[in-house]
Amino acid sequence: MVKKTLIKQYAWVILFLILSIGSYFAGFKPGLTIYSNFQKSFIEMLVFVPVIFILVGLFDVWVPKETIEKYIGKESGILGIFLVTFLAMLQAGPLYGAFPVAYILYKKGAGVRNIFIYLGAFSSLKIPMLGLELGYLGLKYTLVRSLVSLPLFILVGFLMEKLVGDDFKVKDAN
Amino acid sequence: MVNNAIIFAVVTGISLLVSLIFDRKKTLLGLKKGVKIFIGMLPPFLNILILIGILLYLIPQEAIVKYVGPNSGALGFFIAAIIGSITLIPGIISYPIAATLISKGASYGVVAVFMTTQMLVGVVTLPLEIKYFGKKAALLRNALNFVAALMIGLVVGWLMRLW
């Protein structure tokens, strides 16, 4: 039974691998390109995502709910915005890696507004990404883009709180 | 990216060590929780990566450079926003694309909207996001961030020209 669900869960991955191996032997170019694209994203995921989960697990056991409620809960105000932005800046990896963190923040009592500000800051201000941006696009662009993005994702946080506010829930996706 | 990864891993390693010193049992519980969530998340993550691989094939870099390059105007800006929203290209690939765009004469506004939608809006990851936040919140978040990204692109483009 366990095996069956496992196969079902990984159905697309298995199919993909079979097709990739087939492409390799048949010399099917598009298949090989797709595989090499996959590989690049896969490496990115392997590099960052497992680490995120270790941190999420540690965060879960060490940080008490009261602390999160107090500092980034519903009534936390500007300090809360500042704290979630700072927390997000310290992270790395692709956006889907931030969803589990959003889940743990929600579970610990973070406010709706702050959860979305967290996602905004994660997407546009995380330090590892700013490093890449600086290298490829220069200081002026990085500064301008960061400063223009900041008020906008905070605004999105406020709008989300207003629009989904009370019936908002984050579920553990598995 | 490799340097970032090393720093990130070292910081996590130190946190883990400190956590172990303070409370072994708690740390193991935390690790177990983390691993459990990770294993549960792995299939949807891998599916997203496969989709990204296919999308990157369907929308090759040369096409991106061609359609949102210099003199592509308002249409180019809009195409950049759409491509950026649909795809989720890892930073190691997307930043070089952005730099190529600039060197080929694309405007900073186009690059800003492309990179910002890339980061803030995720059509490919939407099914996963819905699992976490529910349909309403996930769709709203993407819609609002799409508008925000357009504004960021316009304002950044304008400021870069002005400055």
Side-chain angles (χ1 to χ4, degrees), chain A residues 9-14 16 29-31 33-34 37-38 40-58 60-62 90-100 102-104 107 115-116 119-121 123-124 126-133 136-137 140-141 143-145 148-149 152-153 155-156 159-160 163-164 167-174, chain B residues 1-2 4-6 8-9 11-12 15-16 18-20 22-23 26-27 29-31 33-50 52-57 88-93 95-96 98-99 102 108 111-113 115-116 119-122 125 128-134 136-138 140-141 144-145 148-149 151-152 155-156 159-161 163:
Chain A
Q9 272 186 315
Y10 284 92
W12 289 108
V13 179
I14 294 166
F16 175 72
K29 278 262 169 58
T33 312
I34 290 171
N37 292 337
F38 167 82
K40 280 177 201 144
S41 307
F42 183 66
I43 290 171
E44 188 196 34
M45 189 196 83
L46 271 192
V47 163
F48 290 114
V49 174
V51 175
I52 293 176
F53 283 96
I54 295 178
L55 288 174
V56 166
L58 289 179
D60 194 15
V61 290
W62 281 110
L90 294 179
Q91 291 197 269
L95 178 63
Y96 53 82
F99 297 152
Y103 163 71
I104 208 84
K107 209 180 101 185
I115 288 173
F116 286 100
L119 288 174
S123 315
S124 52
K126 53 180 181 282
I127 291 167
M129 190 201 78
L130 292 180
L132 271 178
E133 190 172 33
Y136 279 105
L137 297 169
K140 186 175 140 189
Y141 171 85
L143 258 177
V144 169
R145 192 205 52 81
V148 174
S149 302
L152 279 164
F153 68 68
L155 179 69
V156 168
L159 286 172
M160 287 302 294
L163 294 169
V164 289
D167 47 273
F168 180 70
K169 278 189 192 68
V170 184
K171 273 176 270 172
D172 182 359
N174 47 94
Chain B
M1 191 195 74
V2 174
N4 289 331
I6 293 171
F8 203 48
V11 171
T12 307
S15 318
L16 198 60
V18 172
S19 176
L20 267 170
F22 275 98
D23 194 329
K26 229 176 175 174
T27 306
L29 183 69
L31 276 178
K33 279 188 178 177
V35 170
K36 207 183 131 211
I37 308 177
F38 177 62
I39 289 173
M41 289 312 307
L42 203 54
F45 274 9
L46 290 173
N47 291 345
I48 287 172
L49 299 189
I50 293 170
I52 294 168
I54 297 171
L55 273 170
L56 279 178
Y57 168 72
L88 190 146
I89 308 175
I92 32 162
I93 307 177
Y95 280 103
I102 293 291
Y108 277 101
V111 168
V113 83
M115 294 307 290
T116 306
M119 299 178 294
L120 284 169
V121 186
T125 46
L128 180 67
E129 193 174 342
I130 288 173
K131 276 192 195 166
Y132 275 104
F133 302 147
K136 187 181 167 195
L140 262 173
R141 191 197 71 79
L144 288 176
N145 278 314
M151 286 160 75
I152 291 168
V155 176
V156 169
L159 283 174
M160 291 297 284
R161 256 176 287 140
W163 191 357

